[in-house]
């Protein structure tokens, strides 16, 4: 059934934990077959399959506390004794415990099923009433002792448990550097690593694990230190930055503790110190990460008897629960919502506008978890987060380089700040009526043009969407490096509204803004990079534009400033309430900007921010810190399952396809040549190369389902899924819909989706089976949807009146001036799309100039912005557009234009 579990398919590099679960399920099935087989030969053959899978599992199980070496030994013993029924029974017990994680709390799961003495349960003392289940984790010990001593050592550690520990944990012991890396990658339950001096190098890994390890090591970097424990700690932190690390040394511990390179180590112990001290340190480390300063206080606040005389009648809920008419509100939401409402900033509730207490602490913890220097909570969505960042850093007349397809908050921010947007077009994917990302070549060209025209000084900021709605992921490190080589103080705003979760995948993290900012700083400090720059800089200064385009440019380590901002709609990819968003800052010059930043926060933040949204941001941080790694793996795994099921299904794949890497990223932007997530075999190294080097990468969790071949346009299909099948999905394009897996999805959701797609395909088959007419209609619908596609109109230009100079090729424009011009009704006129006047003016002038933003959904980006000259391709696109929702355009009035006599 799962014949490819042992191959190198992409999903298992992204989602290591699932390979193991899949193998256990596979093993269970084979045990059943073994029991069921009747003749001797068949039985022996089935047994050998059990042995084969079992051996592979052995190599993985040493990285997990459960089932552990003891149960695994019994398992092997039963196979050896040809005890098919006993093997099956044990496999079933282990499997079910792994699937529902009951081993975390049920001591019986740790005993072989059929000889369960009651007393043994107490030995592990992990049984507890389910209402007060303590959170569970695993402690990885990297040991230098002989493996024969490990079982006793594990037991000694378990004996340290106390009833009043807030958490419960199980120890795992490994003896080598490689095993330690594998353990933290394969086992998401590992939260703390205790490293003893003197562990070995070079583990005895199976060939397949070795390949896997190589990919992880390629993410770790090549820095080495004199100290093996430090090497290992750094590598582990690169893979999973949230881990707590404890060093146990037999000498020089004072020197270690004072070493600034080791600042990230949680504690250093003298090897022979009280084990209880280490135990307490382990538990305390987790308690610190578990802490949610704002939420914890809000819970306390809600329990206090408080009389309120401030302006928030809903607080405490008395007017609701006693109401004759709105009691159902109280019943629906429950008392806590109202007990937790307050407009006070006293009682320890802190102020979002000027946090000094627990909001400040919560933000500091978020900064650390998300890899930033500072984090700011925003309770009005990333729409507001973007405006805050842009207002803080841009002044009227500044130039902001910006992806024309970016979220509308950026266009409106340009209106608010008076900065001149310089729109750069992303590469088009006309076949699917959507855009990809902006190529590095276009970004560099835009900067070089500004330099040529003497305007580079005014270019303050670059704004890019990472990842895009459709899953195009930039290479922020490369983009920033090369743009900084041209403009060393350029500020970057990466709109990672969808991509906040990426931090918790060691693979996707490589492509986040915060990670890239940290790496940029490392490069700027590295003697090797300085050397490279010195060697290249004379040549680089003399490069022609052409050469600038085609060579990798290096940053000047003397003059480059790393100034990176990231906004994240926490509510879109993590467990925050709607509108919960964060601004993450990694800015060398933040001290200079801080005042303006504060003003921008004051401008856009409500004076009555919602307490529950703030609390949910605090909680989302806790969750991602402690289980983000696991959850993101799970979401990624489901995405791969959907990709495979749809694209390989004999019926579904006739009408539907999840677009693959090669469909969405043109080959020149894929140096690795990776083409597919579902077809390639043996390509882990291609995959890790793609992640590190390719100009664009496809986020596997964003699934563009092409539905044109089934005769549906995106909107129709979305309505069908929602109306008839209760499946809600993300956005649509002309001939596709976007599905997305997130940390909330389960395998049952996937099964439901597949079932529905099969049903829809059957319906199509039935409808055309004996009806030639229907078949013809379907074919013509398909042609219209997948072939007759309107060309996507690129940005044209601003009318000269709205440019800052008379240069012919000026792209950036004074969008604010045009925007406010339209407030003068006298200056505006309307023309209907069908009016032949439009064609005449396109032909003979005067030019048509848009008075406002026109944003059709889909595709969801502005086809026109205020002050933009409307060209024939734009009119064609509008005339062919068959969507209902067009913001800024009323079909009864027509296009809103600025009158020529008011702008000439
Ligand atoms: C959704 C989105 C936003 C706005 O975020 P909200 O939290 O909905 O305000 C900004 N940018 C991008 C790319 C988005 O997808």
């Amino acid at each position: 059934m799962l014949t490819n579990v042992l191959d190198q398919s992409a999903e298992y590099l992204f989602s290591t934990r699932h390979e193991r679960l899949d193998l256990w399920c596979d093993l269970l099935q084979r045990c059943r077959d073994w029991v069921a087989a009747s003749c001797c030969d068949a039985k022996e053959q089935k047994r050998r399959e059990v042995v084969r899978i079992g051996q592979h599992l052995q190599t993985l199980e040493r990285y997990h506390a459960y089932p552990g070496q003891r149960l695994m030994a019994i398992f092997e013993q039963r196979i050896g004794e040809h005890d098919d029924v006993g093997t099956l029974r044990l496999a079933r017990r282990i499997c079910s415990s792994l699937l529902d994680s009951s081993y975390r709390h049920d001591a019986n799961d740790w005993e072989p099923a059929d000889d369960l003495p009651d007393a043994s349960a107490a030995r592990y003392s992990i049984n507890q009433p389910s209402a007060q289940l303590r959170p569970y984790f695993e402690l990885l010990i990297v040991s230098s002792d002989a493996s024969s001593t490990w079982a006793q050592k594990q037991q000694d550690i378990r004996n340290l448990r106390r009833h009043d520990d807030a958490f419960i944990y199980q120890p795992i012991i490994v003896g080598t550097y490689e095993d330690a890396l594998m353990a933290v990658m394969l086992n998401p339950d590992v939260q703390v690593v205790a490293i003893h001096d003197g562990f070995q190098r070079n583990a005895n890994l199976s060939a397949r694990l070795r390949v896997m390890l190589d990919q992880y090591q390629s993410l770790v970097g090549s820095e080495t230190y004199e100290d093996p424990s430090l090497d290992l700690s750094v590598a582990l932190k690169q893979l999973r930055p949230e881990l707590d690390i404890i060093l146990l040394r037999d000498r020089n511990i004072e020197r270690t503790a004072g070493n600034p390179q080791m600042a990230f180590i949680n504690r250093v112990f003298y090897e022979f110190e009280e084990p209880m001290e280490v135990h307490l340190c382990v538990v305390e480390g987790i308690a610190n990460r578990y802490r949610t300063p704002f939420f914890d206080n809000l819970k306390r606040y809600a329990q206090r008897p408080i009389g309120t005389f401030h302006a928030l009648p809903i607080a405490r809920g008395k007017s609701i629960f006693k109401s004759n008419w709105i009691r159902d509100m109280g019943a629906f939401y429950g008392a806590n919502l109202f007990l937790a409402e307050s407009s006070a900033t006293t009682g320890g509730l802190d102020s979002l506008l000027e946090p000094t207490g627990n909001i400040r602490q919560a933000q500091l913890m978020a900064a650390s978890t998300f890899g930033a220097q500072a984090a700011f909570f925003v309770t009005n969505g990333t729409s507001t987060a973007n405006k805050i960042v842009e207002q803080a850093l841009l002044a009227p007349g500044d130039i902001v380089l910006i992806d024309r397809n970016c979220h509308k908050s950026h266009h409106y921010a340009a209106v608010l700040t008076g900065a001149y947007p310089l729109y750069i077009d992303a590469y088009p994917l006309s076949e699917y009526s959507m855009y990809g990302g902006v190529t590095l070549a276009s970004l560099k060209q835009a900067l070089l043009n500004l330099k040529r025209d003497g305007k580079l000084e005014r270019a303050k900021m670059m704004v890019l969407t990472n990842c895009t709605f459709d899953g195009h992921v930039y290479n922020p490190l490369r983009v920033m490096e090369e743009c900084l080589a041209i403009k060393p103080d350029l500020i970057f705003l990466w709109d990672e509204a969808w991509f906040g979760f990426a931090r918790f995948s060691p693979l996707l993290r490589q492509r986040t803004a915060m990670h890239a900012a940290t790496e940029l700083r490392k490069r700027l400090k590295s003697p090797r990079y300085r050397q490279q720059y010195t060697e290249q800089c004379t040549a680089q200064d003399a490069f022609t534009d052409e050469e600038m385009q085609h060579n990798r440019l290096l940053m000047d380590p003397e003059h480059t400033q790393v100034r990176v901002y990231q906004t994240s709609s926490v509510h879109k990819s993590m467990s925050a309430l709607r509108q919960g968003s964060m601004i993450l800052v990694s800015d060398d010059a933040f001290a200079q900007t801080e005042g303006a930043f504060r003003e921008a926060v004051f401008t856009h933040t409500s004076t009555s921010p919602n307490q529950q949204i703030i609390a949910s941001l605090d909680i989302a941080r806790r969750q991602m810190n402690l289980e983000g790694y696991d959850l993101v793996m799970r979401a990624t795994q489901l995405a791969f399952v959907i990709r495979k099921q749809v694209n390989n299904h004999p019926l579904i794949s006739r009408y539907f396809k999840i677009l693959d890497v090669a469909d969405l990223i043109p080959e020149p932007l894929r140096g690795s040549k990776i083409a597919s997530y579902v077809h390639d075999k043996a390509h882990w190294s291609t995959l890790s190369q793609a992640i590190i080097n390719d100009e664009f990468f496809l986020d596997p969790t964003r699934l563009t389902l092409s539905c044109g071949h089934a005769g549906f346009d995106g909107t129709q299909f979305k309505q069908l899924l929602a109306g008839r099948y209760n499946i809600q999905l993300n956005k649509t394009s002309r001939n596709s819909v976007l599905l997305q897996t997130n940390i909330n999805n389960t395998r049952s959701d996937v099964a439901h989706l597949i079932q529905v797609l099969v049903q829809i395909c059957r319906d199509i088959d039935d409808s055309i089976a004996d009806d030639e007419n229907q078949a013809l209609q379907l074919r013509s619908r398909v042609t219209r949807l997948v072939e007759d596609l309107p060309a996507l109109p690129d940005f044209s230009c601003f009318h000269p009146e709205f440019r800052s100079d008379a240069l012919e090729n000026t792209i950036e424009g004074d969008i604010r001036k045009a925007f406010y011009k339209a407030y003068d009704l006298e200056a505006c006129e309307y023309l209907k799309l069908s009016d032949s006047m439009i064609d005449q003016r396109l032909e003979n002038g005067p030019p048509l100039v848009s008075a406002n933003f026109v944003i059709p959904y889909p595709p969801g980006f502005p086809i026109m912005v205020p002050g933009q000259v409307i060209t024939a391709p734009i009119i064609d696109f509008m005339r062919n557009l068959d969507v209902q929702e067009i913001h800024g355009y009323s079909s009864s009035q027509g296009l809103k234009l600025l009158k020529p006599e008011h702008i000439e």
Side-chain angles (χ1 to χ4, degrees):
M1 128 208 171
L2 289 156
T3 47
N4 58 357
V5 170
L6 292 175
D7 70 28
Q8 292 187 20
S9 64
E11 61 186 292
Y12 294 128
L13 193 58
F14 271 103
S15 177
T16 49
R17 157 194 205 274
H18 288 87
E19 165 170 35
R20 171 174 175 243
L21 292 181
D22 288 351
L23 273 168
W24 273 107
C25 294
D26 198 12
L27 182 76
L28 180 60
Q29 183 55 43
R30 284 167 205 268
C31 288
R32 288 197 195 105
D33 294 347
W34 181 21
V35 172
S38 49
C39 77
C40 253
D41 280 356
K43 254 200 154 32
E44 181 53 24
Q45 191 200 340
K46 297 293 176 199
R47 194 187 75 100
R48 263 189 253 125
E49 282 172 29
V50 170
V51 170
R52 187 176 67 90
I53 306 279
Q55 278 169 348
H56 189 71
L57 270 171
Q58 280 282 7
T59 68
L60 301 179
E61 287 315 327
R62 52 191 171 129
Y63 304 123
H64 299 86
Y66 183 83
Q69 295 308 311
R70 176 165 159 264
L71 286 189
M72 286 307 282
I74 296 174
F75 192 73
E76 262 189 29
Q77 186 191 345
R78 290 186 185 174
I79 299 175
E81 292 166 353
H82 293 250
D83 174 5
D84 52 351
V85 175
T87 310
L88 173 62
R89 216 180 295 145
L90 189 51
R92 196 182 287 139
R93 158 157 294 235
I94 294 173
C95 237
S96 92
S97 183
L98 286 176
L99 287 173
D100 66 8
S101 299
S102 58
Y103 64 89
R104 294 176 177 180
H105 307 290
D106 190 345
N108 290 337
D109 286 14
W110 296 71
E111 298 302 321
D114 36 1
D115 50 346
L116 189 65
D118 270 355
S120 73
R123 204 169 80 227
Y124 292 96
S125 66
I126 57 176
N127 283 346
Q128 46 191 324
S130 64
Q132 323 148 15
L133 287 185
R134 287 178 283 177
Y136 170 96
F137 66 94
E138 292 177 13
L139 162 70
L140 177 71
I141 298 166
V142 188
S143 166
S144 56
D145 295 338
S147 56
S148 55
T149 64
W150 291 355
Q152 184 57 48
K153 195 163 175 182
Q154 279 171 309
Q155 195 49 50
D156 292 346
I157 292 171
R158 290 192 192 107
N159 290 342
L160 295 172
R161 284 197 197 118
R162 300 167 315 151
H163 277 293
D164 48 0
D165 290 337
F167 310 97
I168 187 138
Y169 70 91
Q170 294 281 357
I172 316 162
I173 306 185
V174 297
T176 70
Y177 176 96
E178 288 79 2
D179 283 327
L181 291 195
M182 287 315 286
V184 306
M185 292 307 295
L186 293 172
N187 183 350
D189 283 337
V190 171
Q191 297 288 358
V192 185
V193 186
I195 303 173
H196 291 262
D197 279 339
F199 58 83
Q200 305 285 307
R201 271 266 183 181
N202 289 325
N204 199 0
L205 295 181
S206 70
R208 191 162 172 285
L209 286 192
R210 173 66 64 181
V211 177
M212 196 176 238
L213 180 72
D214 287 346
Q215 309 321 316
Y216 299 141
Q217 289 201 287
S218 69
L219 305 176
V220 160
S222 52
E223 270 172 283
T224 55
Y225 305 86
E226 303 281 270
D227 181 332
S229 295
L230 182 56
D231 277 346
L232 176 58
S233 308
V234 169
L236 294 175
K237 283 289 223 189
Q238 290 270 335
L239 293 172
R240 290 186 49 193
E242 73 279 8
L243 291 176
D244 284 340
I245 297 193
I246 297 171
L247 297 187
L248 293 131
R249 323 217 82 165
D250 44 17
R251 63 207 144 85
N252 287 341
I253 86 153
E254 295 77 10
R255 205 161 69 209
T256 308
N259 180 348
Q261 281 178 326
M262 302 226 185
F264 68 91
I265 303 278
N266 291 66
R267 273 291 284 278
V268 185
F269 283 101
Y270 182 54
E271 175 112 43
F272 304 102
E273 209 142 28
E274 264 305 289
M276 185 49 96
E277 288 301 311
V278 180
H279 165 79
L280 293 175
C281 172
V282 167
V283 173
E284 186 191 57
I286 297 299
N288 284 336
R289 289 157 63 186
Y290 186 85
R291 213 160 54 85
T292 31
F294 182 80
F295 177 54
D296 298 345
N297 185 68
L298 189 63
K299 283 190 290 185
R300 279 194 295 274
Y301 176 89
Q303 282 157 11
R304 296 207 319 242
I306 290 173
T308 58
F309 288 97
H310 55 62
L312 187 67
I314 207 171
R316 321 307 290 178
K318 283 178 271 189
S319 66
I320 291 158
F321 292 105
K322 291 187 184 152
S323 162
N324 198 18
W325 296 104
I326 63 167
R327 274 194 298 257
D328 59 331
M329 182 187 189
F332 183 72
Y333 287 108
N336 279 342
L337 177 64
F338 308 104
L339 293 175
E341 275 295 335
S342 170
S343 68
T345 52
T346 50
L349 284 174
D350 209 1
S351 154
L352 183 64
L353 287 151
E354 247 169 318
T356 52
N358 48 50
I359 293 185
R360 197 178 111 82
Q361 284 175 32
Q363 290 185 156
L364 288 171
M365 292 176 82
S368 148
T369 295
F370 292 96
Q373 293 169 341
F376 297 88
F377 293 174
V378 179
T379 57
N380 193 21
T382 296
S383 306
T384 294
N386 288 334
K387 287 174 199 149
I388 290 175
V389 175
E390 279 154 20
Q391 182 184 322
L393 295 155
L394 293 169
D398 286 346
I399 295 175
V400 52
L401 293 93
I402 186 166
D403 170 3
R404 200 261 312 232
N405 306 325
C406 65
H407 187 261
K408 64 179 174 184
S409 52
H410 300 287
H411 302 278
Y412 284 104
V415 171
L416 292 174
T417 61
Y420 286 25
L422 191 163
Y423 287 120
I424 313 177
D425 285 300
Y427 63 81
L429 292 160
S430 312
E431 236 181 297
Y432 308 108
S433 281
M434 61 169 83
Y435 281 94
V438 183
T439 62
L440 181 53
S442 316
L443 295 171
K444 281 159 76 176
Q445 191 58 58
L447 287 169
L448 293 171
N449 291 347
L450 287 171
K451 187 172 180 182
R452 178 199 60 207
D453 297 339
K455 294 190 282 195
L456 194 57
E457 262 321 292
R458 282 172 53 209
K460 287 280 160 52
M461 187 189 240
M462 182 176 278
V463 178
L464 293 168
T465 310
N466 188 47
C467 66
T468 66
F469 225 130
D470 304 293
H472 301 91
V473 185
Y474 283 83
N475 189 335
L477 181 56
R478 184 70 184 270
V479 167
M480 292 198 281
E481 177 183 47
E482 294 215 40
C483 291
L484 287 170
I486 302 174
K487 176 97 184 357
D489 59 354
L490 192 61
I491 305 168
F492 297 87
L493 168 56
W494 292 93
D495 181 339
E496 298 194 356
W498 288 108
F499 206 46
F501 73 97
R503 165 120 193 126
F504 304 91
S505 155
L507 301 167
L508 295 176
R509 180 166 61 244
Q510 307 298 317
R511 291 183 164 253
T512 60
M514 286 301 114
H515 181 81
T518 309
E519 291 300 307
L520 279 179
R521 283 195 194 92
K522 275 195 206 154
R523 285 195 186 172
L524 289 168
K525 281 203 203 104
S526 129
R528 219 178 82 214
Y529 194 87
R530 283 173 177 263
Q531 178 68 25
Q532 282 177 336
Y533 176 77
T534 318
E535 283 161 17
Q536 181 169 318
C537 73
T538 330
Q540 190 166 304
D541 286 343
F543 276 164
T544 62
D545 265 18
E546 181 78 15
E547 288 165 327
M548 293 283 253
Q549 277 292 349
H550 297 297
N551 286 286
R552 173 172 159 202
L553 307 179
L554 301 180
M555 306 171 284
D556 173 358
E558 286 303 315
H559 298 107
T560 302
Q561 277 189 316
V562 178
R563 308 196 62 185
V564 184
Y565 291 74
Q566 179 200 326
T567 51
S568 161
S569 291
V570 181
H571 67 95
K572 282 182 181 169
S573 73
M574 297 167 249
S575 303
L577 294 176
R578 221 162 142 72
Q579 298 194 355
S581 168
M582 264 184 222
I583 300 170
L584 300 174
V585 181
S586 186
D587 180 355
D588 291 345
F590 190 65
Q592 296 156 36
T593 305
E594 201 166 355
F597 192 90
R598 196 172 291 271
E599 287 296 337
V601 170
F602 290 160
T603 308
H604 296 283
T605 303
S606 164
T607 44
S608 317
N610 186 299
Q611 312 283 8
Q612 318 327 318
I613 298 179
I614 301 173
S616 75
L617 288 167
D618 199 13
I619 296 163
R621 185 274 309 147
R622 178 212 289 174
Q623 178 177 42
M624 295 314 275
N625 186 301
L626 288 157
E627 57 181 343
Y629 178 61
D630 194 18
L631 292 170
V632 172
M633 269 207 270
R634 197 175 307 200
T636 317
Q637 163 76 6
L638 292 178
F640 278 111
V641 172
I642 298 175
R643 284 177 182 278
K644 282 191 176 168
Q645 293 279 334
V646 169
N647 289 4
N648 298 335
H649 194 286
L651 178 59
I652 300 178
S653 63
R654 282 187 11 230
Y655 295 110
F656 295 97
K657 179 183 183 192
I658 307 268
L659 299 187
D660 218 329
V661 189
D663 299 314
L664 291 174
I665 302 176
E667 187 167 342
L669 306 176
R670 275 184 280 124
S672 69
K673 304 268 189 294
I674 187 171
S676 167
Y677 284 141
V678 293
H679 296 312
D680 294 0
K681 297 279 176 209
H683 59 147
W684 282 350
S685 60
T686 318
L687 192 60
S688 60
Q689 277 315 301
I691 288 169
I692 296 169
N693 293 322
D694 281 3
E695 183 166 344
F696 282 97
F697 186 77
L698 184 66
D699 174 358
T701 68
R702 300 193 73 82
L703 308 154
T704 302
L705 179 71
S706 132
C707 56
H709 287 276
F712 297 107
D713 71 40
T715 314
Q716 282 170 338
F717 193 60
K718 178 176 172 166
Q719 280 160 0
L720 175 71
L721 287 183
R724 182 137 19 122
Y725 299 106
N726 273 325
I727 295 180
Q728 305 265 346
L729 45 80
N730 214 307
K731 70 148 212 176
T732 59
S733 88
R734 187 180 171 88
N735 51 23
S736 70
V737 296
L738 183 76
L739 311 166
Q740 180 197 359
T741 58
N742 62 40
I743 62 172
N744 189 38
N745 288 114
T746 62
R747 285 202 168 182
S748 310
D749 297 339
V750 176
H752 179 49
L753 174 71
I754 299 300
Q755 215 175 1
V756 165
L757 290 179
V758 167
Q759 186 57 48
I760 292 172
C761 293
R762 287 225 180 91
D763 291 348
I764 300 173
D765 270 357
D766 290 348
S767 75
I768 58 176
D770 336 283
D771 191 337
E772 194 48 36
N773 206 15
Q774 285 281 346
L776 268 174
Q777 277 182 20
L778 176 64
R779 242 170 289 148
S780 82
R781 268 205 313 275
V782 170
T783 310
R784 192 170 54 78
L785 287 168
V786 303
E787 286 170 27
D788 309 338
L789 294 167
L792 293 169
D794 279 347
F795 180 74
S796 51
C797 61
F798 281 103
H799 186 277
E801 171 71 9
F802 303 112
R803 297 185 197 167
S804 55
D805 53 53
L807 295 175
E808 190 172 341
N809 43 26
T810 289
I811 303 173
E812 75 279 3
D814 188 347
I815 198 169
R816 177 159 75 171
K817 185 171 163 192
F819 181 89
Y820 283 110
K821 191 107 191 165
Y823 277 29
D824 174 7
L825 297 184
E826 288 292 295
C828 297
E829 61 181 341
Y830 289 89
L831 272 183
K832 289 201 174 170
L833 271 178
S834 54
D835 194 334
S836 62
M837 191 60 192
I838 288 193
D839 304 273
Q840 282 175 37
R841 282 183 56 182
L842 283 174
E843 188 102 342
N844 309 316
L848 302 160
V849 179
S850 182
N852 60 354
F853 289 102
V854 176
I855 309 179
Y857 285 83
F861 60 84
I863 296 294
M864 302 169 207
V865 306
Q868 182 182 346
V869 174
I870 302 172
T871 53
I874 296 175
I875 294 294
D876 281 349
F877 186 85
M878 285 293 290
R879 283 178 174 162
N880 282 316
L881 204 63
D882 47 10
V883 300
Q884 307 296 319
E885 197 180 338
I886 308 178
H887 296 182
Y889 172 78
S890 131
S891 54
S892 61
Q893 286 185 296
L895 294 174
K896 188 175 181 186
L897 304 171
L898 293 173
K899 282 185 191 159
E901 58 270 30
H902 282 258
I903 45 181
E904 298 301 342

